[in-house]
Structure formats: structure tokens, C-alpha cells
Amino acid sequence: MGGWAIAVHGGAGVDPNLPPHRQEEAKKLLTRCLNLGISALRSNHSAIDVVELVVRELETDPVFNSGRGSALTANGTVEMEASIMDGNGRRCGAVSGLTTVKNPVSLARLVMDKSPHSYLAFSGAEDFARQQGVELVENEYFITEENVGMLKLAKEANTIVFDYRIPAVGSETCSAVAESPLQMNGLPISVYAPETVGCVVVDNQGRCAAATSTGGLMNKMNGRIGDSPLIGAGTYACNLCGVSCTGEGEAIIRGTLAREVAAVMEYKGLSLQEAVDFVIKERLDEGFAGLIAVSNKGDVACGFNTTGMFRGCATEDGFMEVNIWE
């Protein structure tokens, strides 16, 4: 085994006009989360425990689109989703349609560990959360003033926002109002700014795990489910690797993107980075997305076909990097 490795992401498809102070804010959060994961790995925590720990931290901070700070539905409420997967036995848990659960990724973990199922959604997931005694908050806890403004912008543009954040310095400075060739399921959209969060880890025993969490699309239809809670699409882990995806959920679902990384490693014999590059190039069709991945050998990789991706990674040999652009 090549030692532990960890990668985190805060979304692919960064607006090129994102102000420098917002870039630094995002990089500081990614660095903090990496250091949290590194400390846990150095204390011999398991991969599955570390991905949950890191994603909980990302959900608690409103910088990205998960937990507090999640994107708003067309009705102005928050509906969150998350998934987690342990490559050791391919155990998994997923949740959708959460409105009061403070940390969706931890409820997904409980679905995996404490229920006979792999996926719970909407009222059933909320009922399970109450049964398990997880921390619940009012829906208003997740709503930020900035997101209320973004929803207003999205409604005025009669569009949805992937996944959510454009600089809140006035719409005249952002690309949201410009013509865009981007489409989702064949329908034009005018904003692309995903900020789903995720973490992948391989521990010092070679066990891989992955977790992904999101508030979804700004101005999305109530009940819309994206790739983040779908095992094999937004999240996947097995004995070879762990993968977390971000971006155009509908394209990620069609391409079963996370599972494809593991598949081409297994069936084509590709290395981790080769597999990531192949999947981004060959499996997205006209979609836009990014992903992070680790292998059981301690390798770490990322790939994206967007203008940027909030990301960071570290390995046991001392390497650590946090980036946004290519």
C-alpha cells in the first residue's frame, strides 16, 4: 500500500469573475477541511469515518452549496441530499429531500449502518432522522441572505442555477445574464456554477471511501433529485478506488460517472489518473462536470472539463495542494 491520501472538492464550474476574496475564502475552507482529514488519518481513523467528518465540516460552513448555505428550490426552501460509500464491502447509504437535518451526510451514514436499506428520501428520511436522534434545525437555518438574492436573480432570468453561487456584487458583473450554449437535457440554461461538496479517502490500510453532499440547483423544481445521492453516479467506492463527482447532475447520472472510473480501472487496467481523464473525456457527452478520486495504492487524482474546480488533496508523503483553476 502507498499510504493514506485524501481529496476534497467544493464544486466544478467556477465563475471566472469570482472576486479574489471569495476565492481565498473557498481555499481557506478547503485547507481547513484537508487538515481536519489529515489529522484524523494520522490518528488511524478509517476512511469512512474521515469522509463523513470532512463533509460534515463542509456542510456546516455556508461557503459551498451543502447543509447551511444550500441552494433554494423554486418555493424558496432547502431540499438537501447526500450519499456515502465504504469501499470495504461496497456498503452505502443515501438520502434526499431533507429539510431539517443539520448534517445530511451523517444521516446517509446512519442509513448505511442502522437501516436495512441503502436510500431513504423526503418524509421517510426525516422520520428516520428523528428515530435516530440526529440534530434537527428549522429550514431557515440553511437559508442565507445571499441565496435569497440568487433565487431572485434566477427567477428573473427564468432559469435554474448549477448548483448555485455567482458573485453577489451585482448581476452586471457576473456571467449569469449572458447568452450561454449550455444545456441540461436539451434545454438551455444561462448559469453554470456548481458547488456541491465531496471527499474521498484511502486510509493506511488501503480502504477507500467517498461522500458527497449538496443543496442541488438554485430554483430547482420541488422533488428534483440530482447525482449526489445516487450511488455509481455522484458517489462510488470499492476495493480499487473512491470517487466523488460534481457538476451537471443530469449528465453525471447518464454517464454513471463515479462507477465508470472504477470500471475502466478494473476492465481496462488504467491507472487512477488515466481512468479519471478517460471518463471526463468520453463519458460526459456534452455535459460539464468534475470529480476527485483516490486509489487503494495511495494515489490521488482529479479531472474536470469546466472553467475550474474548487479542490484540494494531500498524501501521506507530505504533498498538499489546494487549487481552483487548471
Side-chain angles (χ1 to χ4, degrees), residues 52 56 59 82 84 101 103-111 134:
E52 180 188 4
R56 278 179 63 94
E59 289 174 340
I84 191 167
V101 176
N103 290 108
V105 70
S106 290
L107 187 63
R109 174 77 184 270
L110 287 168
V111 171
V134 304

Side-chain angles (χ1 to χ4, degrees), residues 259-303:
R259 167 59 185 158
E260 280 292 291
V261 174
V264 296
M265 289 180 70
E266 182 175 358
Y267 302 133
K268 283 181 169 287
L270 301 185
S271 69
L272 182 69
Q273 188 65 61
E274 288 171 340
V276 168
D277 292 342
F278 176 87
V279 167
I280 291 294
K281 182 179 179 181
E282 302 293 339
R283 294 294 183 262
L284 278 170
D285 301 317
E286 296 180 355
F288 291 87
L291 61 86
I292 54 173
V294 292
S295 78
N296 61 2
K297 297 179 180 179
D299 300 317
V300 62
C302 72

